[in-house]
Amino acid sequence: SHTVSGTWTNSTTASGWDAGTGTVTFDSATGGTMTFAGTNLSEDEFNNVTFTSSAGTAQTFTMATRGLRLGGTLTISDGTSTTALSTSGSNLAVTAGAVTIGAGGILTANGSTITVSGNWDSSAGTFTYGTSTVVFATTGTVSVNSGGLGAASFYSGTVNAGVTTTFNSAMSFSNVFTLNGTAQDGNNSFILGFGIATAQTNPLVIGGSGAFAQTLGAEFLGSTTYNVPGGTYITLFIRDVSASGASVTATVTGNITVTGFGAYHAEWGLGSISMGIVNGSSPNVPLIFNLNGFNLTASSPNATFEIAIGGVDESRFLAQNGTVTIGSINVRAAASYIDLGSSTWTVSGSWTNIG
Protein backbone atom coordinates (compact mmCIF):
# COMPACT_ATOMS: atom_id res chain seq x y z
CA SER A 1 0.00 0.00 0.00
CA HIS A 2 1.06 3.60 -0.59
CA THR A 3 0.19 7.00 0.90
CA VAL A 4 0.43 10.16 -1.20
CA SER A 5 0.33 13.39 0.83
CA GLY A 6 0.25 15.73 -2.15
CA THR A 7 -1.35 15.91 -5.58
CA TRP A 8 -1.15 13.28 -8.30
CA THR A 9 -0.25 13.64 -11.98
CA ASN A 10 0.01 10.54 -14.17
CA SER A 11 0.45 11.01 -17.92
CA THR A 12 1.83 7.55 -18.63
CA THR A 13 0.68 5.45 -21.56
CA ALA A 14 3.04 2.58 -20.76
CA SER A 15 1.62 -0.91 -21.17
CA GLY A 16 3.70 -2.11 -18.23
CA TRP A 17 1.68 -0.15 -15.64
CA ASP A 18 0.49 -2.50 -12.89
CA ALA A 19 -2.27 -1.49 -10.46
CA GLY A 20 -1.18 -4.19 -7.99
CA THR A 21 -3.40 -5.49 -5.21
CA GLY A 22 -2.95 -2.85 -2.53
CA THR A 23 -4.43 0.53 -1.62
CA VAL A 24 -3.28 4.02 -2.55
CA THR A 25 -4.34 6.60 0.06
CA PHE A 26 -4.45 10.31 -0.77
CA ASP A 27 -4.36 12.30 2.47
CA SER A 28 -3.15 15.77 1.43
CA ALA A 29 -3.84 18.45 4.04
CA THR A 30 -4.71 20.87 1.24
CA GLY A 31 -6.61 18.64 -1.19
CA GLY A 32 -5.58 19.65 -4.67
CA THR A 33 -5.76 18.77 -8.36
CA MET A 34 -5.66 15.09 -9.29
CA THR A 35 -4.67 14.26 -12.87
CA PHE A 36 -5.16 10.55 -13.38
CA ALA A 37 -4.12 8.46 -16.37
CA GLY A 38 -7.69 7.62 -17.34
CA THR A 39 -8.00 6.21 -20.85
CA ASN A 40 -4.27 6.69 -21.45
CA LEU A 41 -4.00 3.25 -19.88
CA SER A 42 -5.62 0.11 -21.24
CA GLU A 43 -6.03 -1.20 -17.68
CA ASP A 44 -6.93 0.08 -14.21
CA GLU A 45 -4.64 2.72 -12.76
CA PHE A 46 -5.21 1.53 -9.18
CA ASN A 47 -6.60 -1.37 -7.18
CA ASN A 48 -8.12 0.35 -4.12
CA VAL A 49 -8.10 4.14 -3.64
CA THR A 50 -8.88 6.09 -0.45
CA PHE A 51 -9.33 9.86 -0.13
CA THR A 52 -9.11 11.19 3.44
CA SER A 53 -7.48 14.54 4.20
CA SER A 54 -5.24 14.93 7.23
CA ALA A 55 -6.10 18.64 7.56
CA GLY A 56 -8.87 18.52 10.12
CA THR A 57 -10.68 21.08 7.95
CA ALA A 58 -12.81 20.65 4.85
CA GLN A 59 -10.72 19.75 1.79
CA THR A 60 -11.50 18.89 -1.83
CA PHE A 61 -9.58 16.75 -4.30
CA THR A 62 -10.55 17.89 -7.81
CA MET A 63 -10.09 15.67 -10.85
CA ALA A 64 -8.56 17.20 -13.99
CA THR A 65 -8.05 16.21 -17.64
CA ARG A 66 -8.86 12.49 -17.40
CA GLY A 67 -11.10 10.14 -15.43
CA LEU A 68 -10.33 7.85 -12.49
CA ARG A 69 -10.21 4.11 -13.08
CA LEU A 70 -9.71 1.46 -10.41
CA GLY A 71 -10.58 -2.20 -10.09
CA GLY A 72 -11.14 -2.30 -6.34
CA THR A 73 -12.94 -0.04 -3.86
CA LEU A 74 -13.11 3.75 -3.99
CA THR A 75 -13.42 5.06 -0.41
CA ILE A 76 -13.99 8.70 0.56
CA SER A 77 -14.15 9.56 4.25
CA ASP A 78 -12.87 11.93 6.93
CA GLY A 79 -12.67 11.32 10.66
CA THR A 80 -12.49 14.96 11.80
CA SER A 81 -13.99 17.15 9.05
CA THR A 82 -14.95 16.50 5.42
CA THR A 83 -13.02 15.22 2.44
CA ALA A 84 -14.55 15.62 -1.01
CA LEU A 85 -13.69 14.16 -4.39
CA SER A 86 -15.04 16.25 -7.27
CA THR A 87 -15.21 15.05 -10.86
CA SER A 88 -14.98 18.77 -11.81
CA GLY A 89 -16.93 20.79 -14.31
CA SER A 90 -15.37 18.64 -17.03
CA ASN A 91 -17.64 15.80 -15.85
CA LEU A 92 -14.80 13.28 -15.75
CA ALA A 93 -15.71 9.62 -15.46
CA VAL A 94 -15.18 7.37 -12.46
CA THR A 95 -14.92 3.60 -12.90
CA ALA A 96 -14.57 1.50 -9.76
CA GLY A 97 -15.16 -1.97 -8.44
CA ALA A 98 -17.15 -0.64 -5.47
CA VAL A 99 -17.87 2.79 -4.01
CA THR A 100 -17.97 3.61 -0.30
CA ILE A 101 -18.72 7.19 0.79
CA GLY A 102 -18.10 7.01 4.50
CA ALA A 103 -18.63 9.44 7.37
CA GLY A 104 -17.23 12.85 6.44
CA GLY A 105 -16.88 11.78 2.82
CA ILE A 106 -18.37 13.64 -0.16
CA LEU A 107 -18.48 12.57 -3.79
CA THR A 108 -19.44 15.49 -6.03
CA ALA A 109 -20.41 13.89 -9.33
CA ASN A 110 -21.36 16.93 -11.46
CA GLY A 111 -22.48 15.51 -14.84
CA SER A 112 -20.17 12.48 -14.80
CA THR A 113 -20.81 8.82 -15.49
CA ILE A 114 -19.86 6.68 -12.50
CA THR A 115 -19.58 2.97 -13.26
CA VAL A 116 -19.71 0.60 -10.30
CA SER A 117 -18.80 -3.08 -10.54
CA GLY A 118 -19.72 -4.02 -6.99
CA ASN A 119 -21.54 -2.49 -4.04
CA TRP A 120 -22.51 1.17 -3.65
CA ASP A 121 -22.64 2.48 -0.08
CA SER A 122 -23.24 6.18 0.62
CA SER A 123 -25.24 5.52 3.77
CA ALA A 124 -22.79 7.36 6.05
CA GLY A 125 -21.59 10.06 3.65
CA THR A 126 -22.83 12.53 1.04
CA PHE A 127 -23.37 11.91 -2.65
CA THR A 128 -23.93 15.19 -4.50
CA TYR A 129 -25.34 13.74 -7.68
CA GLY A 130 -25.66 16.83 -9.91
CA THR A 131 -26.70 15.56 -13.35
CA SER A 132 -24.65 12.38 -13.16
CA THR A 133 -25.47 8.82 -14.14
CA VAL A 134 -24.52 5.86 -11.95
CA VAL A 135 -24.17 2.61 -13.89
CA PHE A 136 -24.52 -0.59 -11.90
CA ALA A 137 -22.36 -2.76 -14.13
CA THR A 138 -22.22 -5.98 -12.09
CA THR A 139 -24.34 -7.59 -9.41
CA GLY A 140 -24.21 -5.73 -6.10
CA THR A 141 -26.11 -3.83 -3.42
CA VAL A 142 -27.08 -0.14 -3.08
CA SER A 143 -27.23 1.56 0.32
CA VAL A 144 -27.95 5.29 0.70
CA ASN A 145 -28.63 7.78 3.49
CA SER A 146 -31.60 9.56 1.91
CA GLY A 147 -34.95 10.15 3.55
CA GLY A 148 -36.64 7.62 1.28
CA LEU A 149 -38.84 8.49 -1.68
CA GLY A 150 -39.26 12.18 -0.89
CA ALA A 151 -35.65 13.16 -1.66
CA ALA A 152 -33.74 11.77 -4.63
CA SER A 153 -30.63 9.69 -3.98
CA PHE A 154 -29.47 9.69 -7.62
CA TYR A 155 -30.02 11.78 -10.72
CA SER A 156 -29.97 8.98 -13.33
CA GLY A 157 -29.13 5.31 -12.95
CA THR A 158 -28.73 2.23 -15.11
CA VAL A 159 -28.79 -1.46 -14.20
CA ASN A 160 -26.98 -3.30 -16.97
CA ALA A 161 -28.34 -6.43 -18.67
CA GLY A 162 -27.55 -9.62 -16.79
CA VAL A 163 -27.00 -7.69 -13.54
CA THR A 164 -29.00 -8.02 -10.30
CA THR A 165 -28.99 -4.89 -8.14
CA THR A 166 -30.37 -5.12 -4.60
CA PHE A 167 -31.66 -1.84 -3.15
CA ASN A 168 -31.33 -1.83 0.64
CA SER A 169 -33.89 0.92 1.31
CA ALA A 170 -36.55 3.00 -0.41
CA MET A 171 -34.93 5.59 -2.69
CA SER A 172 -35.67 7.77 -5.71
CA PHE A 173 -34.08 8.71 -9.02
CA SER A 174 -34.54 12.32 -10.00
CA ASN A 175 -34.27 12.00 -13.78
CA VAL A 176 -34.19 8.59 -15.54
CA PHE A 177 -33.77 5.04 -14.27
CA THR A 178 -32.94 2.51 -17.00
CA LEU A 179 -33.60 -1.09 -16.02
CA ASN A 180 -31.91 -3.56 -18.36
CA GLY A 181 -31.24 -6.14 -15.64
CA THR A 182 -33.00 -7.06 -12.39
CA ALA A 183 -33.86 -4.68 -9.52
CA GLN A 184 -34.78 -6.29 -6.19
CA ASP A 185 -34.97 -5.43 -2.50
CA GLY A 186 -34.07 -8.49 -0.43
CA ASN A 187 -37.78 -9.10 0.26
CA ASN A 188 -38.05 -5.98 2.44
CA SER A 189 -41.03 -4.33 0.66
CA PHE A 190 -39.11 -1.23 -0.45
CA ILE A 191 -40.12 1.10 -3.27
CA LEU A 192 -38.08 2.80 -5.99
CA GLY A 193 -39.33 6.25 -6.98
CA PHE A 194 -38.95 7.84 -10.40
CA GLY A 195 -39.04 11.43 -11.65
CA ILE A 196 -39.13 13.10 -8.24
CA ALA A 197 -37.44 16.37 -9.20
CA THR A 198 -37.32 16.77 -12.98
CA ALA A 199 -39.84 17.26 -15.78
CA GLN A 200 -38.90 13.96 -17.40
CA THR A 201 -41.21 12.38 -19.99
CA ASN A 202 -39.78 8.87 -19.53
CA PRO A 203 -38.54 8.60 -15.93
CA LEU A 204 -38.41 4.80 -16.13
CA VAL A 205 -37.07 2.85 -19.11
CA ILE A 206 -37.43 -0.94 -19.01
CA GLY A 207 -35.18 -2.79 -21.44
CA GLY A 208 -35.86 -6.15 -23.04
CA SER A 209 -34.53 -8.12 -20.04
CA GLY A 210 -35.41 -5.55 -17.38
CA ALA A 211 -37.41 -6.81 -14.40
CA PHE A 212 -38.45 -6.00 -10.84
CA ALA A 213 -38.05 -8.91 -8.40
CA GLN A 214 -38.79 -10.02 -4.83
CA THR A 215 -40.99 -7.30 -3.21
CA LEU A 216 -39.52 -4.16 -4.83
CA GLY A 217 -42.30 -1.74 -5.76
CA ALA A 218 -42.27 1.08 -8.32
CA GLU A 219 -43.66 4.56 -7.76
CA PHE A 220 -43.92 7.40 -10.28
CA LEU A 221 -43.55 10.78 -8.59
CA GLY A 222 -43.64 13.14 -11.56
CA SER A 223 -45.04 16.64 -11.31
CA THR A 224 -45.67 16.91 -15.05
CA THR A 225 -46.93 14.70 -17.88
CA TYR A 226 -44.96 11.45 -18.13
CA ASN A 227 -45.10 7.91 -19.52
CA VAL A 228 -45.45 4.64 -17.63
CA PRO A 229 -43.75 1.83 -19.60
CA GLY A 230 -45.35 -1.52 -20.12
CA GLY A 231 -43.87 -4.42 -18.20
CA THR A 232 -44.25 -6.59 -15.10
CA TYR A 233 -44.28 -4.82 -11.76
CA ILE A 234 -44.44 -6.18 -8.22
CA THR A 235 -46.48 -3.19 -7.04
CA LEU A 236 -47.16 0.03 -8.93
CA PHE A 237 -48.05 3.47 -7.60
CA ILE A 238 -48.94 6.53 -9.65
CA ARG A 239 -48.64 9.64 -7.55
CA ASP A 240 -48.82 13.37 -8.20
CA VAL A 241 -46.54 15.54 -6.08
CA SER A 242 -47.03 18.67 -8.17
CA ALA A 243 -47.21 22.08 -6.57
CA SER A 244 -47.52 23.90 -9.89
CA GLY A 245 -51.31 24.00 -10.12
CA ALA A 246 -51.26 22.06 -13.41
CA SER A 247 -52.85 18.66 -13.89
CA VAL A 248 -50.58 15.63 -14.32
CA THR A 249 -51.17 12.83 -16.84
CA ALA A 250 -49.46 9.43 -16.61
CA THR A 251 -49.81 7.65 -19.96
CA VAL A 252 -49.26 3.90 -20.29
CA THR A 253 -47.09 2.84 -23.25
CA GLY A 254 -47.48 -0.95 -23.06
CA ASN A 255 -49.35 -3.77 -21.33
CA ILE A 256 -48.88 -3.82 -17.55
CA THR A 257 -48.94 -6.80 -15.19
CA VAL A 258 -48.83 -6.29 -11.41
CA THR A 259 -47.97 -9.47 -9.52
CA GLY A 260 -47.64 -8.57 -5.82
CA PHE A 261 -49.12 -6.53 -3.02
CA GLY A 262 -47.86 -4.65 0.00
CA ALA A 263 -48.96 -2.45 2.89
CA TYR A 264 -47.39 0.69 1.49
CA HIS A 265 -48.06 4.32 2.36
CA ALA A 266 -50.06 3.77 5.52
CA GLU A 267 -50.86 7.49 5.61
CA TRP A 268 -53.25 6.95 2.72
CA GLY A 269 -55.13 4.21 4.58
CA LEU A 270 -54.90 1.92 1.56
CA GLY A 271 -53.97 -1.29 3.35
CA SER A 272 -52.33 -4.03 1.29
CA ILE A 273 -52.76 -3.24 -2.37
CA SER A 274 -51.13 -4.00 -5.69
CA MET A 275 -51.61 -0.62 -7.32
CA GLY A 276 -52.49 2.89 -6.25
CA ILE A 277 -53.43 5.99 -8.21
CA VAL A 278 -53.11 8.61 -5.50
CA ASN A 279 -53.19 12.36 -5.84
CA GLY A 280 -51.23 14.17 -3.17
CA SER A 281 -50.73 17.47 -4.99
CA SER A 282 -51.12 20.96 -3.64
CA PRO A 283 -52.94 22.99 -4.86
CA ASN A 284 -55.67 20.55 -5.87
CA VAL A 285 -55.21 19.47 -9.49
CA PRO A 286 -56.30 16.30 -11.29
CA LEU A 287 -54.05 13.25 -11.57
CA ILE A 288 -54.97 11.35 -14.74
CA PHE A 289 -53.92 7.73 -15.35
CA ASN A 290 -54.45 6.96 -19.04
CA LEU A 291 -54.41 3.24 -19.89
CA ASN A 292 -54.14 4.38 -23.52
CA GLY A 293 -55.71 1.25 -25.00
CA PHE A 294 -53.33 -1.18 -23.30
CA ASN A 295 -54.13 -3.97 -20.86
CA LEU A 296 -53.78 -3.94 -17.07
CA THR A 297 -53.67 -7.19 -15.10
CA ALA A 298 -53.41 -7.25 -11.31
CA SER A 299 -54.35 -10.61 -9.89
CA SER A 300 -52.86 -13.51 -7.93
CA PRO A 301 -54.09 -16.83 -6.55
CA ASN A 302 -52.58 -15.92 -3.17
CA ALA A 303 -54.31 -12.65 -2.34
CA THR A 304 -57.07 -10.26 -3.25
CA PHE A 305 -55.75 -7.21 -5.00
CA GLU A 306 -57.07 -3.74 -5.18
CA ILE A 307 -56.55 -0.73 -7.35
CA ALA A 308 -57.08 2.22 -5.05
CA ILE A 309 -58.03 5.33 -6.89
CA GLY A 310 -58.18 8.63 -5.15
CA GLY A 311 -56.64 10.24 -2.13
CA VAL A 312 -56.99 13.77 -0.92
CA ASP A 313 -57.68 15.22 -4.38
CA GLU A 314 -59.12 14.21 -7.74
CA SER A 315 -57.76 11.14 -9.55
CA ARG A 316 -59.03 9.87 -12.89
CA PHE A 317 -58.59 6.46 -14.51
CA LEU A 318 -59.11 6.61 -18.29
CA ALA A 319 -59.56 2.97 -19.28
CA GLN A 320 -60.37 3.72 -22.95
CA ASN A 321 -60.49 0.46 -24.93
CA GLY A 322 -58.11 -1.60 -22.78
CA THR A 323 -58.73 -4.79 -20.85
CA VAL A 324 -58.57 -4.59 -17.05
CA THR A 325 -58.31 -7.73 -14.91
CA ILE A 326 -58.13 -7.05 -11.17
CA GLY A 327 -58.97 -8.41 -7.73
CA SER A 328 -60.80 -5.50 -6.14
CA ILE A 329 -61.24 -1.81 -6.83
CA ASN A 330 -61.80 1.06 -4.46
CA VAL A 331 -62.62 4.55 -5.73
CA ARG A 332 -62.04 6.23 -2.42
CA ALA A 333 -62.31 9.98 -3.10
CA ALA A 334 -65.54 11.77 -3.91
CA ALA A 335 -63.96 13.78 -6.74
CA SER A 336 -62.36 10.74 -8.41
CA TYR A 337 -63.79 8.62 -11.19
CA ILE A 338 -63.22 5.97 -13.86
CA ASP A 339 -63.92 6.65 -17.52
CA LEU A 340 -64.70 3.11 -18.71
CA GLY A 341 -64.79 4.00 -22.40
CA SER A 342 -65.05 0.78 -24.42
CA SER A 343 -62.84 -1.16 -22.02
CA THR A 344 -63.47 -4.71 -20.79
CA TRP A 345 -63.23 -5.45 -17.06
CA THR A 346 -62.95 -8.63 -15.02
CA VAL A 347 -63.17 -8.06 -11.25
CA SER A 348 -62.74 -11.13 -9.03
CA GLY A 349 -63.25 -9.33 -5.71
CA SER A 350 -65.16 -6.30 -4.44
CA TRP A 351 -66.08 -3.02 -6.13
CA THR A 352 -66.29 0.06 -3.91
CA ASN A 353 -67.14 3.44 -5.41
CA ILE A 354 -67.65 6.53 -3.30
CA GLY A 355 -66.68 8.83 -6.19
Side-chain angles (χ1 to χ4, degrees):
S1 297
H2 305 276
T3 298
V4 179
S5 296
T7 58
W8 177 273
T9 300
N10 185 1
S11 300
T12 187
T13 59
S15 59
W17 183 274
D18 187 355
T21 58
T23 299
V24 175
T25 299
F26 296 102
D27 70 350
S28 169
T30 56
T33 300
M34 312 297 288
T35 305
F36 300 111
T39 55
N40 281 357
L41 291 174
S42 59
E43 60 180 297
D44 297 327
E45 187 172 359
F46 306 100
N47 181 41
N48 300 317
V49 173
T50 295
F51 291 90
T52 180
S53 175
S54 60
T57 57
Q59 299 296 328
T60 299
F61 294 88
T62 302
M63 295 167 56
T65 310
R66 293 177 292 273
L68 171 60
R69 183 173 164 187
L70 59 145
T73 300
L74 170 64
T75 302
I76 309 166
S77 64
D78 194 310
T80 56
S81 184
T82 60
T83 293
L85 173 65
S86 172
T87 63
S88 81
S90 297
N91 303 323
L92 299 173
V94 175
T95 301
V99 172
T100 299
I101 308 173
I106 303 169
L107 176 55
T108 303
N110 300 290
S112 299
T113 296
I114 300 173
T115 302
V116 184
S117 296
N119 298 334
W120 173 285
D121 188 350
S122 57
S123 59
T126 300
F127 178 52
T128 305
Y129 54 75
T131 57
S132 65
T133 298
V134 176
V135 178
F136 303 103
T138 64
T139 294
T141 62
V142 180
S143 302
V144 300
N145 65 355
S146 76
L149 295 174
S153 300
F154 299 95
Y155 186 70
S156 291
T158 298
V159 176
N160 282 352
V163 169
T164 297
T165 301
T166 301
F167 294 89
N168 287 333
S169 65
M171 61 190 75
S172 293
F173 291 81
S174 171
N175 188 45
V176 178
F177 179 67
T178 302
L179 182 59
N180 294 319
T182 299
Q184 64 182 27
D185 67 343
N187 289 316
N188 288 307
S189 297
F190 296 135
I191 301 177
L192 285 188
F194 312 109
I196 181 65
T198 61
Q200 176 55 246
T201 302
N202 295 291
L204 172 64
V205 177
I206 301 178
S209 58
F212 294 96
Q214 295 181 336
T215 56
L216 184 64
E219 179 164 339
F220 290 81
L221 295 159
S223 58
T224 186
T225 295
Y226 57 86
N227 295 326
V228 178
T232 299
Y233 298 84
I234 308 302
T235 55
L236 176 61
F237 293 91
I238 309 298
R239 187 180 180 189
D240 177 12
V241 294
S242 172
S244 66
S247 65
V248 173
T249 299
T251 301
V252 174
T253 60
N255 294 330
I256 288 178
T257 299
V258 183
T259 63
F261 76 109
Y264 300 127
H265 296 296
E267 71 271 22
W268 295 340
L270 301 184
S272 294
I273 67 172
S274 60
M275 181 173 175
I277 306 170
V278 180
N279 190 347
S281 66
S282 178
N284 299 353
V285 293
L287 168 61
I288 302 169
F289 179 70
N290 184 358
L291 194 54
N292 198 29
F294 291 100
N295 300 332
L296 170 64
T297 302
S299 61
S300 166
N302 300 320
T304 297
F305 289 88
E306 177 180 287
I307 297 179
I309 303 173
V312 178
D313 306 313
E314 177 184 345
S315 298
R316 306 174 189 171
F317 184 173
L318 306 184
Q320 294 193 337
N321 60 337
T323 298
V324 180
T325 304
I326 61 174
S328 299
I329 189 161
N330 178 12
V331 183
R332 62 190 302 276
S336 297
Y337 63 86
I338 301 172
D339 184 343
L340 294 170
S342 58
S343 59
T344 300
W345 289 64
T346 300
V347 181
S348 58
S350 62
W351 180 287
T352 303
N353 184 4
I354 66 169

